[in-house]
């Protein structure tokens, strides 16, 4: 089930999106969900089935990593075949690599517990939200990272405000490039935004590469090419 090009996990054909949700049955687990996407032949794979193996890859890499560079860690994880070109696993990946790099840069967190919480929260954020909700899951994942790392709740004060500001900053940076969506581009942007935000407000200095050259652009049928900040050209 190779989906490196963001196609159907069942047959490999392109996905189609509907303006309104429909009741669709997952071809892998047999459960029925409301969804706005299927492949051109009608196959539908639910978010849980789509991300299951990829999420295990993310957590396994993060739990054993000593890297302070969340972009480098994300790229390492993205090279795994179970991290598809597009998909809701990125809603966990962004927060997970940030938690890992933050801990390795001196952040005071229990990484294993934080990663499990990231899995729980990120799994609730649906695929396609960037277009259907106007709120990309990569940016929300950065906000989840902040809330987990700082122990923020709905009753928190300063950290509550900063968490919302971080998510807004990541969304603004993602929106500046424009669409169509690209989970790799949006993830890199959210990670870079969050790392700078953490250095300013928490004092933990994660490492970041001077430049990011995307290695996935040939897999993205909607790649912006030279209009993307990470296109190697």
């Amino acid at each position: 089930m190779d989906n490196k090009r963001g196609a159907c996990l069942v047959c490999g054909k392109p996905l189609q999106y509907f303006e309104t949700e429909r009741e669709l049955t997952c071809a892998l687990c047999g459960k029925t969900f409301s969804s706005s996407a299927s492949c051109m032949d009608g196959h539908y794979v639910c978010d849980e089935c789509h991300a299951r193996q990829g999420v295990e890859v993310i957590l396994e890499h993060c739990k054993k990593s000593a890297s302070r560079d969340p972009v480098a860690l994300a790229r390492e994880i993205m090279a795994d075949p179970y991290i598809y070109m597009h998909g809701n696993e990125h809603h966990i990946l962004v927060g997970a690599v940030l938690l890992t790099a933050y801990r390795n840069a001196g952040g005071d967190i229990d990484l294993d517990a934080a990663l499990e919480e990231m899995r729980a929260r990120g799994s609730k954020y649906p695929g396609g939200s960037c277009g259907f909700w106007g709120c990309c899951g990569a940016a929300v994942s950065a906000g989840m990272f902040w809330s987990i790392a700082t122990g923020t709740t709905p009753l928190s004060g300063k950290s509550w405000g900063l968490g919302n500001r971080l998510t807004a900053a990541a969304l603004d940076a993602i929106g500046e490039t424009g669409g169509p969506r690209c989970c790799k581009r949006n993830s890199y942007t959210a990670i870079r935004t969050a790392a700078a935000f953490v250095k300013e407000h928490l004092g933990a200095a994660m490492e970041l590469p001077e430049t990011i050259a995307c290695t996935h652009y040939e897999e993205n049928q909607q790649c912006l090419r030279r209009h993307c900040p990470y296109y190697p050209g």
Side-chain angles (χ1 to χ4, degrees), residues 1-10 15 17 26-29 33 35 37 43-58 80-92 123 125-128 181 183-184:
M1 295 193 303
D2 183 7
N3 191 29
K4 276 296 184 180
R5 296 184 66 84
C8 177
L9 282 179
V10 178
L15 302 183
Y17 292 92
C26 177
L28 301 185
C29 70
F33 302 87
S35 178
H43 298 127
Y44 163 70
V45 175
C46 71
D47 280 353
E48 181 178 355
C49 287
H50 189 282
R52 180 179 293 113
Q53 290 171 294
V55 171
E56 295 302 326
V57 168
I58 293 166
D80 189 278
Y82 283 115
I83 306 299
Y84 305 130
M85 180 62 227
H86 308 293
N88 54 307
E89 61 269 28
H90 294 83
H91 303 171
I92 296 172
S123 295
Y125 203 78
R181 60 86 174 89
C183 288
K184 301 298 187 286

Side-chain angles (χ1 to χ4, degrees), residues 24 27 31 65 67-68 93 102 144 171 177 181-182 192 196 204 217 219:
L24 297 173
K31 297 178 183 178
S65 176
S67 178
R68 295 172 55 184
L93 185 151
Y102 174 68
M144 292 177 186
L171 281 172
T177 302
R181 60 86 174 89
C182 173
R192 293 176 64 188
Y217 63 93
E219 302 161 12

